Amino acid sequence: MKVTDYIKSAKQTLFSFEILPPLKGKSIQSIYDGIDPLMEFKPKFVNVTYHREEYIYKEKGNGLLEKVAIRKRPGTVGICAAIMNKYKVDAIPHLICGGFSKEETENALIDLQFLGIDNVLALRGDPIKTENIFKAHPKGHQFASDLIHQVNDMNHGKYCIDDIKMAPTDFCIGAAGYPEKHFEAMNLKTDLIHLKEKVDAGATYIVTQMFFDNKKYFDFVEACREFGINVPIIPGLKPIKTLNHITFLPKFFHIDYPEELSNELLKCKTNAEVEKVGIEWGIQQSKELMQKEVPCIHYYTMSNSDAVKAIAGNIF
Ligand code: FAD
C-alpha cells in the first residue's frame, strides 16, 4: 500500500522507522534482530537505506597501492523483499542517483515492481568519500528531481526505450526535505525551490532529515506550505546514543543541537548517560509532534533499535 494512502486512512500519528543493510558478511538475522523489537508498535512501513560503493586503497605488497571499489552494505532490495515476506509490512527501498545510469535505474524499478514494492524514497545520494562534490553517472541523474521525473514517467508508461509499449508502474514516490536546509543549498529559500521541483516532478510525500528542535520542523512545514508544497511532511527523528554522536551527528548531517540539549550532553561522561539523555529528548520531541498531529514519526535506527524502542514505548 502507498505511504500516502496509509496517511490518508490513519486516525492518529503513524510509526515508521529506517534501517541500514548490515555490513557485508552479516546475515539477514541481524536485520530481523533490529526489526523484531519494534514490530509491537505496528509500523506501516520500514525504510531500507541504499549505500553506494566506496573506494579503498589496498597494499599490493610491492610498495604500491591499488584503488578498489567496495560496497560495504549491499542488499537493499533483497532486504526489502525479506521484510515484506516475514513481517507483512511495506518495505521502502531508498533509490539514489549516484552510481546509476538511467537504464540501471529503470531495471531496478522493474525488479521492485515485480517484488510488489509500492513505494520508493528517491534521493540524490551524497558525494562518495573520495570526491568533494557529487558527480552524477555520465548517463544518470544530477538531482533527485530528475530521478523522480524518471519514476513518474514510468508511472505513466514512459520508459527509457520509448519504442516499446510498456505497462505503467504505480510507485508512490517520497523525497527528502531539510528543516535546517541541505548543506549545499545557498539558503533555505533556494532549497525550498528545489524541494518544490521534486514535488512537481511527482513526489507525493516528504521525509525530513533528523532534527532536534521541533520548532525547526514546524517552521519548515509552514515555509513549505507558503511555497505551495502541500504534500505530507513526515518528521525524521534520531535518538542520540553515544559520546561519539555528540560531534558526529551535527558534522555528518549538518544539523544543530538546541542549547537545552547541548547543555545536557555536556554533562555526560559515558555512552549510557548520552543514551539516557537521547531517549528522554526523543520522548519529549515525539510527544509534541504527536500533539500537533503530524502524519507519522519516522525514526532513524542506524541499525540499533534499543533507543527507538524505549521512545516508541512511551509514545505509541
Ligand atoms: P537533491 O534534492 O537533488 O538536492 C541536493 C542539493 O542540490 C540541494 O542542496 C538542493 O537544494 C540542490 N538542488 C536540487 N535541485 C537543483 C537544481 N535543479 N539546481 C541546483 N541545485 C539543485 N543518502 C544515501 O546515499 N542513501 C540513502 O539511503 C539515503 N537516505 C536518506 C533519507 C532521508 C530521509 C534523507 C533526508 C537523506 C538521505 N540520504 C541518503 C542522504 C541524501 O542522499 C543526501 O542528503 C544528498 O546530499 C541529497 O539528497 P537529496 O535527494 O535531498 O538531493
Side-chain angles (χ1 to χ4, degrees):
M1 189 162 145
K2 293 181 177 181
V3 167
T4 44
D5 290 334
Y6 281 123
I7 291 173
K8 261 185 235 152
S9 58
K11 297 203 171 43
Q12 60 184 40
T13 298
L14 301 172
F15 166 76
S16 69
F17 61 94
E18 174 189 290
I19 58 162
L20 274 61
L23 287 167
K24 198 180 238 178
K26 283 201 171 181
S27 76
I28 190 74
Q29 189 57 43
S30 64
I31 286 289
Y32 300 152
D33 290 345
I35 295 177
D36 285 342
L38 300 179
M39 289 314 288
E40 66 177 282
F41 307 114
K42 303 196 170 22
K44 292 287 181 267
F45 48 91
V46 177
N47 280 51
V48 185
T49 55
Y50 187 92
H51 300 260
R52 64 180 291 197
E53 74 283 2
E54 291 174 25
Y55 290 94
I56 55 158
Y57 288 90
K58 267 193 172 170
E59 297 235 12
K60 287 185 75 182
N62 52 1
L64 296 174
L65 294 172
E66 186 187 8
K67 191 178 174 190
V68 187
I70 50 158
R71 274 191 68 206
K72 288 186 180 165
R73 293 180 186 272
T76 302
V77 175
I79 291 168
C80 284
I83 290 174
M84 298 209 328
N85 186 40
K86 182 170 164 70
Y87 298 101
K88 314 295 173 218
V89 293
D90 279 278
I92 306 184
H94 291 190
L95 205 63
I96 64 169
C97 305
F100 284 88
S101 69
K102 290 175 198 168
E103 199 189 352
E104 285 162 346
T105 296
E106 180 171 290
N107 293 339
L109 285 160
I110 290 170
D111 279 345
L112 296 180
Q113 190 196 25
F114 288 164
L115 286 169
I117 286 171
D118 293 329
N119 306 276
V120 290
L121 188 68
L123 305 142
R124 187 195 70 180
D126 279 324
I128 53 173
K129 281 186 187 146
T130 39
E131 291 174 351
N132 56 3
I133 53 161
F134 176 80
K135 288 192 186 137
H137 185 287
K139 292 182 177 171
H141 299 298
Q142 180 66 37
F143 296 112
S145 54
D146 303 322
L147 172 60
I148 293 167
H149 264 296
Q150 181 177 6
V151 185
N152 195 45
D153 277 350
M154 286 178 68
N155 280 348
H156 290 88
K158 206 170 150 217
Y159 286 56
C160 289
I161 309 162
D162 56 10
D163 56 348
I164 306 174
K165 184 130 182 56
M166 305 276 192
T169 53
D170 190 21
F171 290 109
C172 173
I173 311 166
Y178 302 83
E180 300 182 53
K181 105 172 173 60
H182 183 261
F183 69 101
E184 294 167 22
M186 287 188 280
N187 52 47
L188 188 61
K189 188 172 172 192
T190 60
D191 211 22
L192 286 173
I193 290 170
H194 299 311
L195 183 56
K196 173 94 167 53
E197 284 165 2
K198 294 197 268 194
V199 173
D200 291 344
T204 51
Y205 74 99
I206 291 165
V207 185
T208 77
Q209 182 57 278
M210 68 184 72
F211 57 88
F212 293 88
D213 180 352
N214 283 353
K215 185 173 181 314
K216 292 195 172 157
Y217 166 80
F218 297 131
D219 290 350
F220 175 69
V221 173
E222 200 180 315
C224 285
R225 302 306 180 224
E226 280 166 16
F227 250 79
I229 299 169
N230 292 315
V231 299
I233 301 176
I234 298 175
L237 296 187
K238 160 90 191 104
I240 307 169
K241 271 182 69 76
T242 62
L243 288 163
N244 180 43
H245 279 167
I246 295 178
T247 47
F248 173 77
L249 297 181
K251 182 177 162 210
F252 194 82
F253 295 102
H254 307 273
I255 45 99
D256 279 351
Y257 295 142
E259 214 178 305
E260 200 188 328
L261 175 58
S262 62
N263 286 342
E264 288 306 309
L265 291 171
L266 281 171
K267 293 179 204 159
C268 297
K269 301 272 181 291
T270 62
N271 286 343
E273 286 170 4
V274 175
E275 184 166 7
K276 198 161 169 261
V277 170
I279 289 172
E280 191 46 43
W281 194 265
I283 292 172
Q284 296 316 323
Q285 270 197 286
S286 304
K287 277 189 179 160
E288 190 186 16
L289 290 167
M290 197 113 173
Q291 271 163 10
K292 300 271 173 155
E293 298 178 351
V294 299
C296 176
I297 307 179
H298 187 67
Y299 294 92
Y300 296 109
T301 69
M302 286 186 173
S303 297
N304 191 323
S305 51
D306 302 353
V308 174
K309 184 177 165 69
I311 295 169
N314 277 273
I315 305 294
F316 292 95

